[in-house]
Amino acid sequence: MATPGYYGKWGGAFIPEVLFETFKELNIAFAAAKADPSFWQEYLDLMSTYSCRPTPLTYAENISKHLGGAQIYIKREDLNHTGAHKANNVMGQGLLVKRMGKKRVIAETGAGQHGVATATMAAKFGFDCTIYMGEEDVMRQRPNVFWMEKLGATVIPVTSGTKTLKDAINEAFRDWVTDMEDTHYVMGTVCGPHPFPEMVAWFQSIVGTEAVEQISKFAGKLPKRVYACVGGGSNAIGIFQGFLDTPEVELVGVEAGGLGLDSGQHAARLSSKDSSPGVAQGYHTMFLQNDDGQMNDTYSVSAGLDYVGVSPILTDLWEQGKVRFEAATDSEVMAALDMTMKMEGIIPALESSHAFAQAYKEAGELSPDDAIIINMSGRGDKDIFTVAHAYDDPSWKEFIIKKGAEYAA
Amino acid sequence: MATPGYYGKWGGAFIPEVLFETFKELNIAFAAAKADPSFWQEYLDLMSTYSCRPTPLTYAENISKHLGGAQIYIKREDLNHTGAHKANNVMGQGLLVKRMGKKRVIAETGAGQHGVATATMAAKFGFDCTIYMGEEDVMRQRPNVFWMEKLGATVIPVTSGTKTLKDAINEAFRDWVTDMEDTHYVMGTVCGPHPFPEMVAWFQSIVGTEAVEQISKFAGKLPKRVYACVGGGSNAIGIFQGFLDTPEVELVGVEAGGLGLDSGQHAARLSSKDSSPGVAQGYHTMFLQNDDGQMNDTYSVSAGLDYVGVSPILTDLWEQGKVRFEAATDSEVMAALDMTMKMEGIIPALESSHAFAQAYKEAGELSPDDAIIINMSGRGDKDIFTVAHAYDDPSWKEFIIKKGAEYAA
Amino acid sequence: MQLEQYIKAELEKPEKDILLMTHIVLGYPSLEVNREVIQQMVDNGVELIEMQIPFSEPMADGPTIVQANQEALETGISVADCMAFGKEMCATHDISFLFMTYYNIIYKYGVENFFRKSKDYGITGFIIPDLPPEEGQEFLGLAKKYEISPILIYAPTSTDERMQTLDSYADGFMYCIARKGVTGQQTDFDTEFDHYIGRCRAATNLPLAVGFGISSREDITYLTGKADIGVIGTATINLVNNEGATAVGPFIKGLRG
Amino acid sequence: MQLEQYIKAELEKPEKDILLMTHIVLGYPSLEVNREVIQQMVDNGVELIEMQIPFSEPMADGPTIVQANQEALETGISVADCMAFGKEMCATHDISFLFMTYYNIIYKYGVENFFRKSKDYGITGFIIPDLPPEEGQEFLGLAKKYEISPILIYAPTSTDERMQTLDSYADGFMYCIARKGVTGQQTDFDTEFDHYIGRCRAATNLPLAVGFGISSREDITYLTGKADIGVIGTATINLVNNEGATAVGPFIKGLRG
Ligand SMILES: Cc1ncc(COP(=O)(O)O)c(C=O)c1O
Ligand SMILES: Cc1ncc(COP(=O)(O)O)c(C=O)c1O
């Protein structure tokens, strides 16, 4: 890295001047924490007592046999407290906030997972908490909103722009520029201005560190490929970090192909031709934007992947050819989810199901002597409204109609 | 134990003659498994790779300070795959079924947790799966029904009797007497005819074994008290087994107090005066029944505790004075849930919240030098419809009304 | 012993190749209707009637009888009402009456008390589907003491060895369930059944009753010569539900010869 | 340099204790209305106008301007339209026009191309709230080359040291945001503000513009003597929304002396 905060030409810290000191302070605090081994130890202790780390690596025996190719292992981030890898980042930032002596946290959330994780962390650490969430995502992920509120957070639906993740990020920044002394913005993914990408990647590296050790133990060798879905990129960079120095391991980032890459209805930044370099939300990366630099309205069945930008770290790795990017369409994702539930008894989040879909497409190309890892970033329970809707499940509908009528009465 | 399957005068195997051979076979297979150390090792391996065992012991620092009494530790069974301790039992029985060469499993379910766990296990092991669930519980726990179906199970709503757990058990037996050669009935709690209580207690003992080790490490001593909610009693007996030989540890089973022990609207077998010895569902225990021996219609905000009987093992321990039984009312439970969410960022299942409620009532009596453990049998996400309803949450209602109208259109 | 003697005596009557035992859920739909149905049964030659005392958890029964149990209980019928009705029936009709119920009913009533009263009334046997002999030592002892036959059950899943064990405890007759499952579904009679009933016959000297899914003249004809008693359960409940109590007489009459 | 000279020259005019800079979101509600509003502003003595090229992610703006950006984009306005309009305004009115936008707009347009065209049109400065000098080295170099003032921002959170650093890069004037937060909320002027503006003055020789929440004659009166330029942003957007473009003239007229 030439300039701190840059990954190749990607990254940076395009922040309003009013936050200059806040970022300076954050950079200093983060650097100090990173340099202090006791901080990481405190983090590991917290994650192993409050969450369930190390999370298991599960051998998907049935699907491996069914596909007849590589042996498939699943890294179980769904078993974290709050149900996703988001907890890794959030609890780490929580420790940092405590160190900085701040008393309030804010966050954006797309799928709601990061919001729930942040509200949880705030409850645990005794912080005030406000969560910004695009109005459309509030609709898609209502159960998460309910729990955030019950955890003591204030959830603010964001009605500007496309009413999704990127707008929630803007709104969180608007809060932060108003109230920065006591407030830390808990960025939920490995994006945004420096030092967020570095910080989030650091906390998420716990996934990769564990995964390397586990696969070596269980499969007796490194995996041929590692698959992770990519929204902002935090779960992907988390697991990929375990394998960056071993080029024989192919790293595959899977983006939301939505209705197909040709449909314009997707959120594929690095696997489609629809993105171009840009600067927004505080950093330089490949964005889905028009020729004028206005951000596009992206689409995905999964709220957590429905985002215009992508981690500058991943963009750099992509540019260097160190990570291959692919997209899985909504329908491929639903099929992969279905198969994973029925054959392994595991319910991946819709986001994570993208990684499963791509791995299933490719597993057959590999030999039964090969191992691959799918990073299961989260569990799918949270997606019940979306999944039941996608299945067009009649008894679910009937149930909701009945409940609705009961409440309307 | 004088007679096998008896705990004091409780227990037994009151089974229809048609199942005689099935039980004989089961007893033999179970005894062989129990005597085979490689079976337990296989179980441990499965639980540590497919689920997240050992589950953590979390120190509830904020609430401990707030209540000013004992240091409160929470055993995190919610972090199991499928979200509750039910997985321990189910995966164990799954291994046994595999050993017996059967191809189909059936189960009853109350809260739906055991149903989801069984459907999950069946998917993992490649078994056919049918789940019996009281129609009233189907209504209360619809999301679980949805997931069971998606996991490949057939869910049969039971419309007989009170349409709750006990009726689901009857119905499961009716299935079993029809189809026993290839079918194993995965009893979900530590009740029913021998060998089920012994078997379920054995698989759940993993909780207590871990808890003893963890509390000794974290608190440097044994706990003063251990709290667990008691439906059938499996999570309670699971953790209690770690402490049965150390009488200085007081064991507290917490039953569903519903609207109060005087209201008749509860499910308190051992902590109320409303129960009497009886024989039903294949075993001898204390039942909530009338003078004629007809079972009462029990009540609790939590489907998983809403049951007329209770483990014969616990009844024996109660009779011997080795476990104290208490009841927590619905409103105490909601308050405990609320406090746990807001102060610790943890969402216990409504069932588990009973244990929290009782522990919170008593923590202040103890000294800050004492430790106590609450067994968190499961996570509360599954209860969103019940909890949101109990909170009378307006935006949740609005959401449901809107969704309902959308589906009705 | 009394029950077995009664059965053997009836079977010796020249026109009786096979006896009939019918089933009644007490209080369903009401004791009045029970009374009428029993009258029809007796008038049309039924030799044994098992009167089921309803229980809230009829684990071994199928949907029709489950619902009958439940609805009977909803009318508020008590075990005492059932006992009194049993007493009345024994006094009124000169055939053999048995109580069928689940163990908890007897257990809560007081097992010995239940035996004593039943004996007084003239009840000849008890059928308790959830009480295997291993759990019923007290019960079996009292059965001996009060000379009420404990009817035990053979199932197609019973091994020869198990049948012999059961035989050592049983009395009156052996209740052979015709197939796996609960009450109320049709049974297919085939060579497998013949083999099974042959095993039953070999295992015990007691008369054999065959129940579960017996509903027609064809069934009874098939059983004649193989078994000693045909048990009609759900069939009459359905009949009463659909056509009323008066349909029972002609139905019973039509079953034999 | 040109911009600073213009400001100093204007301030030397005897009747001008303070200058006014107003703000416009291009295309909101339409370029026609923008044209009319600018006419009113110019006619009533405004010395500088910052024309915001709408962006889909206006991170540093408050709800009114966010919505204006969004609605402008929904009309289909392009960056090219905005440039052409800027050119027209520079040609029509003899005051100072600046472009305000977020960095991505310039970046995608081509930074040097954007400078070249703007220079051609007569644009005097750029305000880019998400481009701190650390990220804007190329931008600042081009600003020098094309003699367009890069307007940098002082905030109440800026330390004296930071202010000096910014001063070393800035040109034209210094944009002092009156308080933390986004555009559009009222600012309370108090001794804390006075202290802050004193620090600003000490840190730079450039003229000071004060913006964020300036909306009334009282505000302008308060700023007079402390700052050189009062910036009216959201206030005129609200005015046009509520009372139409013709209300802008009297409003502007009423702000000063
Ligand atoms: C379960 C899950 N997986 C993946 C993502 C995508 O985020 P990222 O790419 O940062 O891992 C999200 C975001 O909300 C998520 O909730
Ligand atoms: C989360 C949870 N806790 C507790 C129970 C009660 O069962 P047991 O007493 O067997 O632990 C249930 C039953 O469904 C449950 O789902």
Side-chain angles (χ1 to χ4, degrees):
Chain A
M1 255 190 281
T3 329
Y6 270 86
Y7 308 88
K9 59 178 176 282
W10 313 101
F14 295 79
I15 50 167
E17 191 57 40
V18 67
L19 289 177
F20 181 83
E21 290 302 323
T22 307
F23 270 81
K24 200 163 127 188
E25 195 190 324
L26 181 60
N27 273 300
I28 291 168
F30 172 54
K34 208 168 168 178
D36 176 359
S38 78
F39 181 85
W40 189 256
Q41 192 52 52
E42 190 182 359
Y43 173 65
L44 290 181
D45 289 347
L46 179 65
M47 295 312 288
S48 67
T49 58
Y50 188 62
S51 189
C52 203
R53 301 217 73 92
T55 57
L57 187 71
T58 301
Y59 173 42
E61 188 176 356
N62 302 328
I63 292 181
S64 301
K65 292 207 172 118
H66 176 70
L67 298 175
Q71 305 308 316
I72 301 172
Y73 290 85
I74 303 171
K75 178 63 175 161
R76 300 291 301 279
E77 292 304 301
D78 61 305
L79 291 173
N80 268 301
H81 183 47
T82 72
H85 71 293
K86 298 284 174 187
N88 305 328
N89 168 35
V90 159
M91 298 313 298
Q93 292 200 42
L95 288 174
L96 198 63
V97 174
K98 203 174 78 171
R99 234 174 133 101
M100 292 192 292
K102 296 195 169 191
K103 295 272 177 286
R104 176 174 178 261
V105 290
I106 58 175
E108 89 292 348
T109 194
Q113 282 304 110
H114 177 59
V116 169
T118 304
T120 295
M121 177 272 275
K124 168 88 178 157
F125 285 102
F127 303 143
D128 279 344
C129 181
T130 300
I131 304 292
Y132 294 93
M133 187 168 186
E135 197 178 48
E136 194 170 305
D137 293 331
V138 168
M139 308 289 283
R140 287 194 275 197
Q141 305 280 348
R142 185 81 225 180
N144 277 338
V145 175
F146 178 79
W147 294 120
M148 284 183 249
E149 289 176 349
K150 290 306 160 240
L151 288 159
T154 303
V155 180
I156 301 189
V158 175
T159 56
S160 59
T162 54
K163 307 181 172 119
T164 60
L165 184 55
K166 72 176 181 58
D167 310 286
I169 293 179
N170 291 334
E171 207 59 35
F173 271 114
R174 289 181 193 117
D175 180 313
W176 211 14
V177 300
T178 309
D179 185 1
M180 69 289 285
E181 265 101 22
D182 228 30
T183 297
H184 176 70
Y185 175 11
V186 184
M187 172 72 62
T189 188
V190 64
C191 291
H194 179 72
F196 284 114
E198 184 185 337
M199 186 192 302
V200 177
W202 188 51
F203 289 127
Q204 293 291 2
S205 70
I206 196 169
V207 181
T209 304
E210 291 175 5
V212 167
E213 203 183 301
Q214 291 168 323
I215 193 77
S216 307
K217 191 168 133 204
F218 295 159
K221 63 185 151 218
L222 287 178
K224 201 85 182 167
R225 296 182 190 162
V226 178
Y227 295 86
C229 68
V230 179
S234 67
N235 86 84
I237 197 66
I239 195 161
F240 289 170
Q241 280 171 100
F243 304 94
L244 282 175
D245 297 334
T246 45
E248 66 270 32
V249 181
E250 190 182 17
L251 306 175
V252 186
V254 189
E255 299 184 297
L259 305 183
L261 291 191
D262 298 333
S263 68
Q265 299 284 297
H266 63 75
R269 290 75 32 112
L270 300 177
S271 60
S272 80
K273 302 205 173 313
D274 297 354
S275 66
S276 60
V279 173
Q281 313 217 291
Y283 69 111
H284 182 218
T285 197
M286 295 291 284
F287 284 100
L288 286 166
Q289 56 183 336
N290 70 14
D291 290 343
D292 266 4
Q294 311 297 354
M295 296 300 144
N296 289 342
D297 195 352
T298 53
Y299 165 79
S300 167
V301 68
S302 69
L305 302 188
D306 197 356
Y307 179 51
V308 291
V310 61
S311 175
I313 305 179
L314 286 175
T315 304
D316 180 48
L317 292 170
W318 162 77
E319 207 176 29
Q320 292 184 55
K322 291 192 176 162
V323 176
R324 170 160 64 90
F325 277 82
E326 303 288 351
T329 63
D330 285 2
S331 60
E332 289 167 344
V333 163
M334 292 303 297
L337 169 60
D338 201 67
M339 182 154 117
T340 311
M341 291 193 288
K342 294 227 162 47
M343 294 189 68
E344 297 292 346
I346 287 174
I347 310 177
L350 283 169
E351 289 80 8
S352 323
S353 296
H354 285 72
F356 284 79
Q358 191 63 31
Y360 294 167
K361 279 191 250 175
E362 300 182 5
E365 302 167 4
L366 300 172
S367 136
D369 289 339
D370 295 327
I372 62 176
I373 302 180
I374 301 170
N375 199 26
M376 178 166 170
S377 55
R379 58 176 152 89
D381 321 25
K382 69 170 176 70
D383 293 322
I384 188 161
F385 283 91
T386 315
V387 174
H389 188 83
Y391 272 105
D392 206 24
D393 186 77
S395 57
W396 173 258
K397 283 183 174 178
E398 195 188 301
F399 165 69
I400 294 295
I401 291 171
K402 218 154 142 188
K403 270 271 158 207
E406 192 183 299
Y407 284 146
Chain B
M1 255 188 283
T3 328
Y6 271 87
Y7 308 88
K9 59 176 176 282
W10 313 102
F14 296 79
I15 51 166
E17 192 56 41
V18 67
L19 290 177
F20 181 84
E21 290 301 322
T22 307
F23 270 82
K24 201 164 126 187
E25 194 191 327
L26 181 60
N27 274 301
I28 291 167
F30 172 55
K34 208 167 166 179
D36 176 359
S38 78
F39 181 85
W40 189 255
Q41 192 52 52
E42 189 182 0
Y43 173 65
L44 290 181
D45 289 347
L46 179 65
M47 295 312 288
S48 68
T49 59
Y50 187 62
S51 189
C52 203
R53 300 216 74 93
T55 58
L57 187 71
T58 301
Y59 173 41
E61 187 176 357
N62 301 328
I63 291 181
S64 300
K65 291 206 173 118
H66 177 70
L67 297 175
Q71 305 307 316
I72 301 171
Y73 290 84
I74 303 171
K75 179 63 176 163
R76 300 292 300 280
E77 293 303 301
D78 60 304
L79 291 173
N80 268 302
H81 183 47
T82 73
H85 71 293
K86 298 284 174 186
N88 304 328
N89 168 36
V90 159
M91 298 313 298
Q93 292 201 41
L95 288 174
L96 198 62
V97 174
K98 204 175 76 172
R99 235 175 132 101
M100 291 191 293
K102 297 196 168 191
K103 294 274 175 290
R104 176 174 178 261
V105 290
I106 58 174
E108 88 292 348
T109 194
Q113 282 305 110
H114 177 59
V116 169
T118 304
T120 296
M121 176 273 275
K124 168 87 179 158
F125 285 102
F127 303 144
D128 280 343
C129 181
T130 300
I131 304 291
Y132 294 93
M133 187 169 186
E135 196 178 48
E136 194 171 307
D137 293 332
V138 168
M139 309 290 283
R140 289 195 273 196
Q141 305 280 349
R142 186 79 226 180
N144 277 338
V145 175
F146 178 79
W147 294 120
M148 284 182 249
E149 289 176 348
K150 290 308 160 239
L151 287 158
T154 304
V155 180
I156 301 190
V158 176
T159 56
S160 59
T162 55
K163 306 180 170 104
T164 60
L165 183 56
K166 73 176 180 60
D167 310 287
I169 293 179
N170 291 333
E171 207 59 35
F173 271 112
R174 290 184 191 115
D175 180 314
W176 211 15
V177 299
T178 309
D179 185 1
M180 69 291 286
E181 265 101 22
D182 227 30
T183 297
H184 175 70
Y185 175 11
V186 184
M187 172 72 60
T189 187
V190 64
C191 290
H194 179 71
F196 284 114
E198 184 185 336
M199 186 193 302
V200 178
W202 188 51
F203 289 127
Q204 293 292 0
S205 70
I206 196 169
V207 181
T209 305
E210 290 175 6
V212 166
E213 203 182 303
Q214 290 168 323
I215 193 78
S216 308
K217 192 168 134 205
F218 296 160
K221 63 184 151 222
L222 287 177
K224 201 84 182 167
R225 295 181 190 163
V226 178
Y227 296 85
C229 69
V230 179
S234 67
N235 85 85
I237 198 65
I239 194 161
F240 290 171
Q241 279 170 101
F243 304 94
L244 281 175
D245 297 334
T246 44
E248 66 271 31
V249 180
E250 190 182 18
L251 307 175
V252 186
V254 189
E255 299 183 298
L259 305 182
L261 291 192
D262 298 333
S263 68
Q265 299 284 296
H266 63 76
R269 291 76 30 114
L270 300 177
S271 60
S272 81
K273 304 206 174 312
D274 297 354
S275 66
S276 60
V279 173
Q281 313 219 290
Y283 69 112
H284 181 219
T285 197
M286 295 290 284
F287 284 100
L288 287 166
Q289 57 182 336
N290 70 15
D291 290 344
D292 266 5
Q294 311 297 354
M295 297 298 144
N296 289 341
D297 195 353
T298 54
Y299 165 80
S300 167
V301 67
S302 69
L305 302 188
D306 197 356
Y307 179 52
V308 290
V310 61
S311 174
I313 306 180
L314 286 175
T315 305
D316 179 49
L317 292 169
W318 163 76
E319 206 175 32
Q320 292 183 54
K322 290 191 176 161
V323 176
R324 169 159 63 91
F325 277 82
E326 303 286 351
T329 63
D330 286 3
S331 60
E332 289 167 344
V333 163
M334 292 304 296
L337 169 60
D338 200 68
M339 182 154 118
T340 311
M341 291 194 287
K342 294 225 161 50
M343 294 189 68
E344 298 291 346
I346 287 173
I347 308 178
L350 283 169
E351 289 81 9
S352 325
S353 296
H354 285 72
F356 284 78
Q358 191 62 30
Y360 294 168
K361 280 191 249 174
E362 299 183 6
E365 300 167 5
L366 300 173
S367 137
D369 288 339
D370 295 327
I372 61 177
I373 302 181
I374 301 170
N375 199 27
M376 179 166 169
S377 54
R379 56 176 154 88
D381 321 26
K382 69 169 176 72
D383 293 321
I384 187 160
F385 282 91
T386 315
V387 174
H389 188 83
Y391 271 107
D392 206 25
D393 186 77
S395 55
W396 173 257
K397 284 183 174 177
E398 196 188 302
F399 165 70
I400 294 295
I401 291 171
K402 217 154 141 188
K403 270 272 157 206
E406 194 183 309
Y407 284 145
Chain C
M1 359 252 124
Q2 292 180 325
L3 181 53
E4 190 183 345
Q5 281 155 18
Y6 168 74
I7 291 165
K8 295 212 161 138
E10 287 294 312
L11 280 170
E12 273 168 21
K13 296 187 180 163
E15 75 283 9
K16 293 200 178 173
D17 298 334
I18 190 164
L19 307 188
L20 294 180
M21 177 163 82
T22 52
H23 175 273
I24 275 282
V25 176
L26 294 179
Y28 179 75
S30 66
L31 291 177
E32 292 73 65
V33 174
N34 291 156
R35 197 174 276 117
E36 200 182 330
V37 168
I38 289 174
Q39 183 70 56
Q40 298 245 346
M41 289 170 169
V42 174
D43 289 349
N44 288 281
V46 158
E47 288 84 7
L48 306 103
I49 295 181
E50 51 170 327
M51 297 181 293
Q52 179 165 1
I53 304 176
F55 180 43
S56 56
E57 319 301 313
M59 182 207 262
D61 282 297
T64 305
I65 295 184
V66 167
Q67 200 179 337
N69 272 262
Q70 200 170 319
E71 292 187 21
L73 289 174
E74 280 163 12
T75 69
I77 194 165
S78 68
V79 175
D81 295 338
C82 294
M83 297 296 281
F85 184 84
K87 181 179 179 184
E88 177 195 332
M89 288 304 106
C90 290
T92 310
H93 301 293
D94 194 24
I95 64 162
S96 201
F97 285 97
L98 299 88
F99 276 136
M100 181 262 166
T101 193
Y102 290 83
Y103 186 56
N104 200 48
I105 297 296
I106 306 183
Y107 180 80
K108 275 294 277 188
Y109 194 85
V111 184
E112 179 146 14
N113 198 20
F114 192 82
F115 270 98
R116 187 181 310 115
K117 293 221 169 134
S118 298
K119 185 67 194 174
D120 280 355
Y121 305 159
I123 296 292
T124 57
F126 292 163
I127 305 173
I128 314 293
D130 64 346
L131 190 70
E134 288 75 10
E135 297 291 355
Q137 293 306 312
E138 182 199 4
F139 176 89
L140 293 169
L142 291 167
K144 275 225 169 66
K145 175 169 170 192
Y146 288 96
E147 296 188 310
I148 287 184
S149 296
I151 308 300
L152 298 189
I153 292 165
Y154 280 0
T157 55
S158 306
T159 60
D160 293 347
E161 188 194 343
R162 178 66 180 167
M163 284 184 179
Q164 254 143 36
T165 306
L166 293 169
D167 181 53
S168 72
Y169 296 114
D171 189 44
F173 61 88
M174 198 61 75
Y175 195 126
C176 309
I177 62 175
R179 52 161 173 73
K180 295 174 278 181
V182 290
T183 54
Q185 294 144 33
Q186 193 53 47
T187 297
D188 289 329
F189 293 108
D190 52 16
T191 54
E192 208 180 312
F193 172 82
D194 291 349
H195 176 70
Y196 159 58
I197 206 74
R199 292 201 299 118
C200 296
R201 187 63 88 191
T204 182
N205 289 321
L206 290 173
L208 300 183
V210 173
F212 279 36
I214 316 284
S215 63
S216 66
R217 184 186 175 104
E218 290 68 45
D219 294 341
I220 296 296
T221 306
Y222 189 89
L223 290 178
T224 304
K226 301 182 202 254
D228 305 301
I229 306 170
V231 185
I232 317 290
T234 306
T236 45
I237 297 189
N238 287 333
L239 193 67
V240 174
N241 283 346
N242 298 332
E243 302 178 35
T246 54
V248 173
F251 169 70
I252 295 292
K253 196 170 201 80
L255 287 173
R256 270 189 303 206
Chain D
M1 0 249 122
Q2 292 180 325
L3 180 54
E4 188 182 348
Q5 282 155 19
Y6 168 75
I7 291 165
K8 295 216 159 132
E10 286 293 311
L11 280 169
E12 272 167 22
K13 295 187 181 164
E15 75 283 10
K16 295 202 176 171
D17 299 335
I18 190 165
L19 307 188
L20 293 180
M21 177 163 82
T22 52
H23 174 273
I24 275 281
V25 176
L26 295 178
Y28 179 75
S30 66
L31 290 176
E32 292 74 65
V33 174
N34 291 156
R35 197 175 274 118
E36 200 183 329
V37 168
I38 288 174
Q39 183 70 55
Q40 296 245 346
M41 288 170 169
V42 174
D43 289 350
N44 289 279
V46 158
E47 287 85 6
L48 307 103
I49 295 181
E50 50 169 327
M51 296 181 295
Q52 179 166 1
I53 304 177
F55 180 45
S56 57
E57 319 301 312
M59 182 207 264
D61 282 297
T64 305
I65 296 182
V66 168
Q67 200 180 337
N69 272 262
Q70 200 169 319
E71 291 187 21
L73 289 173
E74 279 161 14
T75 70
I77 193 164
S78 68
V79 175
D81 295 337
C82 294
M83 297 296 281
F85 184 84
K87 180 178 181 184
E88 176 195 332
M89 289 303 107
C90 290
T92 311
H93 301 292
D94 195 21
I95 64 161
S96 202
F97 284 96
L98 301 88
F99 275 136
M100 181 261 166
T101 193
Y102 290 82
Y103 186 56
N104 200 48
I105 296 296
I106 306 183
Y107 180 81
K108 275 295 277 188
Y109 195 85
V111 184
E112 179 145 15
N113 197 21
F114 192 82
F115 269 98
R116 187 182 308 114
K117 293 226 167 127
S118 297
K119 184 68 195 174
D120 278 355
Y121 305 159
I123 296 290
T124 58
F126 292 163
I127 306 174
I128 314 294
D130 64 345
L131 190 71
E134 288 75 10
E135 297 291 353
Q137 293 305 311
E138 180 199 6
F139 176 89
L140 292 169
L142 290 167
K144 275 227 168 67
K145 175 170 169 191
Y146 288 96
E147 296 187 312
I148 287 184
S149 296
I151 309 300
L152 297 191
I153 291 165
Y154 280 0
T157 54
S158 306
T159 60
D160 293 348
E161 188 196 343
R162 178 66 180 169
M163 284 184 178
Q164 254 142 38
T165 307
L166 292 169
D167 181 53
S168 72
Y169 295 114
D171 189 46
F173 62 86
M174 197 61 75
Y175 194 127
C176 309
I177 62 174
R179 51 161 176 74
K180 294 174 280 181
V182 290
T183 54
Q185 293 143 36
Q186 194 52 46
T187 296
D188 288 328
F189 293 109
D190 52 19
T191 54
E192 209 180 311
F193 173 81
D194 291 350
H195 175 72
Y196 160 57
I197 206 75
R199 291 202 300 119
C200 296
R201 188 64 88 191
T204 183
N205 289 321
L206 290 173
L208 300 183
V210 173
F212 279 36
I214 316 282
S215 64
S216 67
R217 184 186 175 107
E218 290 69 44
D219 294 341
I220 296 296
T221 305
Y222 187 90
L223 290 177
T224 306
K226 301 183 203 260
D228 305 301
I229 306 170
V231 185
I232 317 289
T234 306
T236 47
I237 297 189
N238 287 333
L239 194 67
V240 175
N241 282 347
N242 298 331
E243 302 178 34
T246 54
V248 173
F251 169 70
I252 296 292
K253 197 172 201 80
L255 287 173
R256 271 187 301 205

